[in-house]
Amino acid sequence: MFLKILQHSKLLNLKQSVTRHYCTHTRKIKSVDVKKIGPFGWFLLVIPATTFSLGVWQMQRKKWKEQLIADLQERTASHPVKLPEDLDNLKDLEYKAIHVRGEFLHDKELYIGPRSVLVKGDASTKSSLVSGSANTTQGYLVVTPFKLENRDDTILINRGWVPNKLKDPKTRQEGQVNGVVDVIGILRTHEPRPNFTMKNREGSNIYFYRDLNHMTAVTGASPIFLDATNDFDIPNGPIGGQTRISLRNEHLSYILTWFSLCGATSFMWYKKFIK
């Protein structure tokens, strides 16, 4: 009987010793883990958190850009409206089709370029609309003042694209229409100078971008600019429809990039501080 009590006492002491050792070891592990992460380790969580936020933001931007493209396509394809008598009402009509009637003033012709021809609102490497040897990828937009019928206003119309060799009006006499004509064009506004684009040269009739303020000062036209549609294209003349309605949309690649960085940095943090 005494021997059993002694064995039981030894087992109890051994159990208590193991328990104390386990608790002490656990406390040390927890202490070491917390100390191992430290303030800098917690600060590094900013990286995966930031990249995740940027990925979510790019998802929102992608949705916004797709809706904007759809709206532009809908506006450009809408039924043409008459040019308002009050020009202040034009501010809400950008990318809307406008119908005007009047006469071109070819002696004040301007050019924007060099540019690639646009087909259905996007850049194309070739155009089937220009025949023969004139088919090329680089050319200019022909901008001509347009005197409105029964109004004192003169506006600017981008009649369309011509290849380099047809830039001189003498090489495309068929396209230099005279008399009163109807034109349908997409309303555009002033274009700020794009990044990395050269400044427009003073005294030149060639522009690198749509500087509406300078163009109106040179021609005496009102600050109204229309991109002519393809409705009145003339063979070997300017090709209308040069309104770019496809916007740069690379948000999907940005989404994949940011979420990939978030996943990679999260895994690296886990391997370093947890596992």
Side-chain angles (χ1 to χ4, degrees):
M1 182 67 179
F2 177 76
L3 182 61
K4 290 183 177 180
I5 294 174
L6 181 61
Q7 289 177 343
H8 180 73
S9 176
K10 288 182 178 180
L11 288 174
L12 183 61
N13 291 336
L14 179 61
K15 184 178 180 181
Q16 290 175 348
S17 177
V18 170
T19 302
R20 286 195 300 269
H21 177 74
Y22 174 77
C23 293
T24 303
H25 182 67
T26 303
R27 286 196 298 268
K28 288 182 178 179
I29 291 175
K30 291 181 178 179
S31 177
V32 169
D33 286 345
V34 173
K35 185 177 180 181
K36 183 179 179 181
I37 296 177
F40 181 70
W42 294 115
F43 175 76
L44 288 179
L45 283 176
V46 171
I47 299 176
T50 302
T51 51
F52 179 81
S53 300
L54 289 172
V56 173
W57 177 64
Q58 285 298 331
M59 291 178 63
Q60 297 172 345
R61 291 281 296 175
K62 180 176 181 292
K63 183 178 180 180
W64 168 80
K65 182 63 70 64
E66 290 172 346
Q67 184 60 50
L68 179 60
I69 294 173
D71 291 342
L72 290 180
Q73 292 174 340
E74 181 180 357
R75 288 176 71 87
T76 55
S78 62
H79 186 74
V81 298
K82 294 289 186 180
L83 184 69
E85 292 291 336
D86 186 359
L87 300 183
D88 291 335
N89 296 330
L90 290 175
K91 58 184 179 180
D92 297 326
L93 295 178
E94 187 176 11
Y95 285 101
K96 289 282 289 184
I98 306 292
H99 173 247
V100 291
R101 182 175 175 83
E103 185 175 359
F104 286 111
L105 306 178
H106 296 292
D107 58 321
K108 296 182 179 180
E109 195 172 86
L110 304 174
Y111 309 95
I112 301 177
R115 295 282 181 94
S116 297
V117 63
L118 300 181
V119 176
K120 296 182 179 180
D122 202 355
S124 176
T125 56
K126 60 182 180 178
S127 171
S128 60
L129 301 177
V130 182
S131 60
S133 60
N135 190 0
T136 183
T137 60
Q138 289 296 320
Y140 292 85
L141 302 178
V142 179
V143 180
T144 308
F146 188 77
K147 177 65 174 66
L148 297 176
E149 185 183 41
N150 300 325
R151 292 178 61 169
D152 293 333
D153 296 311
T154 298
I155 65 176
L156 294 175
I157 293 184
N158 167 22
R159 298 180 58 208
W161 181 90
V162 293
N164 287 331
K165 59 178 61 181
L166 294 181
K167 174 176 169 290
D168 187 347
K170 297 178 181 178
T171 61
R172 47 182 169 82
Q173 287 295 327
E174 186 178 359
Q176 301 300 91
V177 293
N178 294 313
V180 177
V181 295
D182 290 280
V183 175
I184 296 176
I186 305 300
L187 182 66
R188 305 303 307 278
T189 58
H190 172 75
E191 178 185 17
R193 179 189 172 192
N195 294 331
F196 311 111
T197 300
M198 293 187 293
K199 292 183 178 181
N200 292 322
R201 294 191 294 264
E202 194 70 29
S204 174
N205 64 348
I206 298 178
Y207 293 78
F208 298 110
Y209 58 96
R210 189 175 60 253
D211 187 350
L212 189 55
N213 296 330
H214 191 269
M215 289 179 173
T216 54
V218 170
T219 59
S222 299
I224 304 172
F225 191 101
L226 301 181
D227 284 337
T229 63
N230 295 111
D231 296 84
F232 303 99
D233 283 354
I234 299 175
N236 292 327
I239 301 172
Q242 298 305 301
T243 303
R244 184 180 292 276
I245 56 176
S246 61
L247 303 177
R248 184 179 179 182
N249 187 5
E250 298 180 353
H251 296 291
L252 180 59
S253 63
Y254 297 151
I255 292 171
L256 295 175
T257 299
W258 289 124
F259 281 141
S260 297
L261 288 173
C262 176
T265 53
S266 297
F267 179 74
M268 292 171 63
W269 190 92
Y270 172 79
K271 290 282 288 183
K272 174 68 175 176
F273 297 105
I274 302 298
K275 192 173 182 179

